[in-house]
Amino acid sequence: MRVLHTSDWHLGRSFHRVNLLAAQRIFLDHLVETVRTREVDAVLVAGDIYDRAVPPLAAVELFDEALHRLAALGVPTVMISGNHDSARRLGVGSGLMERAGIHLRTDPAGCGTPVLLDDAHGPVALYGLPYLEPAMVRDTLGARRADHAEVLRAAMERVRADLAGRPAVTRSVVLAHAFVTGGTVSDSERDITVGGVASVPAAVFDGVDYAALGHLHGCQTLTERVRYSGSPLAYSFSEAGHRKSSWLVDLDGDGTVQAERVDCPVPRPLARLRGTLDQLLDDPAHARHEDSWVEATLTDTARPHEPMARLTKRFPHLVSLVFDPDEIPADGAASYAQRLRGRSDQEIAEDFVVHVRAGRAADAQERAALRSAIDEVRTAETAAEGAR
């Protein structure tokens, strides 16, 4: 069986205020054409179909159009909700859609109920594990603790229990939306840390033939059977070096996996440039970036006059301007943004405690209280988004 593994479409998202809907439409054209020309048997979308719980109407219309086109090809499509999606909204109408071969899996209680397909070698069971917010699904799944590893283990126990009751020749595929240990992150992914831990071990997927993962935006192979497809478009400059693609996976009769990367269309390349204003304006080496989306980091000691307007004359698609002087001021002070760069919510909160208490850091009990408060706020935000 041949499946096309993709994820993290983030329909409705913009890139530094640039509307990406046209680029997302080009990707979906490419997706449908790949399904047709490469004789794909099933399409897998591992979450984050939309960029937010209540997507703009244009994004919903684009999604609807894509579903109609896939259904018209007669190729089954299995989709799960991600941490950006509203599972309840995305799941509306799933029963009717299933009749057209569009299988939306948004309810954690259904983790152990597969979509069953057949090929010349026998049955293939495809299990959809939507994004599992630990505090909200712990009781549903009977997990021992409200953390990512435990709820995903509990979901996989349901998968294995169902598989155990099926014929021995049944091959299995799992779709999951999670941060698996060993994956490389980007700036554009929403933090899903709970209890100070976000990742789960790849071994949680032992026992299935292929795990089609979503959430991380870089295409990557954790094991031959556990892979991220990554997002089809770049959603932050941290993805400038990414090769955006989907996985075309052949699942042989004995469960052997053969995977091939299928490159996605690139609407406009990304470039991160660094130097003084004069260097960026005059260096001939930057000519190849003049049609790229550009993030320019200026290293001038003093802020130049009208840098955005001057840079835009050479780089008309400049969308981000950062100041990072090579020379630190004599007092050693760094900008607020520089001090926060790359730090988690937990680290920022602990730094604040040190600041207001004249250098005395939070103790273990206080750090646990901060972590609990951050988890509660994030869980409440997720619940509110899902209820909209």
Side-chain angles (χ1 to χ4, degrees), residues 80-388:
I80 61 172
S81 50
N83 61 301
H84 279 251
D85 299 308
S86 165
R88 293 178 64 183
R89 283 180 177 272
L90 188 63
V92 170
S94 58
L96 287 173
M97 292 183 193
E98 194 144 355
R99 299 180 186 180
I102 306 296
H103 306 272
L104 284 166
R105 293 295 187 259
T106 62
D107 184 359
C111 287
T113 304
V115 175
L116 292 173
L117 303 179
D118 289 281
D119 65 8
H121 301 288
V124 178
L126 298 99
Y127 298 88
L129 279 54
Y131 171 67
L132 304 173
E133 180 64 35
M136 298 177 69
V137 304
R138 175 186 178 180
D139 293 339
T140 299
L141 296 176
R144 291 173 295 180
R145 297 189 304 276
D147 64 43
H148 287 290
E150 287 302 321
V151 296
L152 197 50
R153 284 192 186 101
M156 285 301 300
E157 285 173 4
R158 295 191 176 201
V159 169
R160 296 188 189 96
D162 182 81
L163 268 177
R166 297 191 179 278
V169 295
T170 304
R171 289 154 291 157
S172 55
V173 175
V174 165
L175 290 78
H177 195 87
F179 178 16
V180 178
T181 305
T184 302
V185 302
S186 305
D187 291 345
S188 54
E189 297 133 3
R190 184 180 294 170
D191 182 27
I192 60 171
T193 301
V194 171
V197 179
S199 65
V200 300
V204 75
F205 299 108
D206 286 353
V208 297
D209 294 306
Y210 184 71
L213 302 181
H215 179 57
L216 300 185
H217 288 180
C219 182
Q220 46 201 299
T221 300
L222 303 186
T223 74
E224 286 304 307
R225 297 181 182 275
V226 181
R227 299 171 186 263
Y228 282 100
S229 65
S231 61
L233 298 172
Y235 293 120
S236 71
F237 277 102
S238 67
E239 301 167 56
H242 286 188
R243 172 188 164 196
K244 295 300 183 181
S245 56
S246 304
W247 285 112
L248 192 65
V249 178
D250 286 318
L251 194 61
D252 294 344
D254 61 357
T256 301
V257 170
Q258 297 179 342
E260 171 192 346
R261 289 180 73 171
V262 179
D263 290 335
C264 297
V266 179
R268 192 179 300 282
L270 272 58
R272 306 183 91 169
L273 307 182
R274 181 182 178 89
T276 65
L277 179 61
D278 288 342
Q279 288 171 340
L280 297 188
L281 290 174
D282 300 334
D283 192 341
H286 296 323
R288 60 193 178 96
H289 300 305
E290 290 174 358
D291 197 42
S292 301
W293 277 318
V294 171
E295 176 189 73
T297 298
L298 295 183
T299 60
D300 302 79
T301 303
R303 293 202 177 202
H305 179 62
E306 295 186 341
M308 193 75 174
R310 295 163 68 185
L311 283 168
T312 302
K313 291 180 180 179
R314 183 177 190 187
F315 306 105
H317 303 289
L318 173 70
V319 294
S320 176
L321 184 60
V322 179
F323 293 95
D324 186 18
D326 280 340
E327 295 182 19
I328 302 297
D331 61 2
S335 72
Y336 183 68
Q338 288 171 325
R339 295 199 304 273
L340 295 186
R341 190 173 299 156
R343 302 186 69 74
S344 67
D345 291 341
Q346 179 77 19
E347 291 170 328
I348 292 169
E350 292 181 16
D351 286 349
F352 179 74
V353 171
V354 173
H355 174 71
V356 298
R357 294 206 307 208
R360 185 163 62 89
D363 60 25
Q365 185 176 354
E366 290 169 332
R367 289 196 300 273
L370 289 170
R371 184 178 301 116
S372 177
I374 291 168
D375 290 348
E376 286 181 13
V377 170
R378 199 176 56 77
T379 300
E381 288 178 344
T382 301
E385 286 187 354
R388 288 176 189 167

Side-chain angles (χ1 to χ4, degrees), residues 29-44:
D29 289 343
H30 156 80
L31 176 77
V32 172
E33 183 65 9
T34 300
V35 171
R36 187 182 66 81
T37 59
R38 299 301 299 270
E39 299 180 337
V40 171
D41 297 308
V43 177
L44 314 179

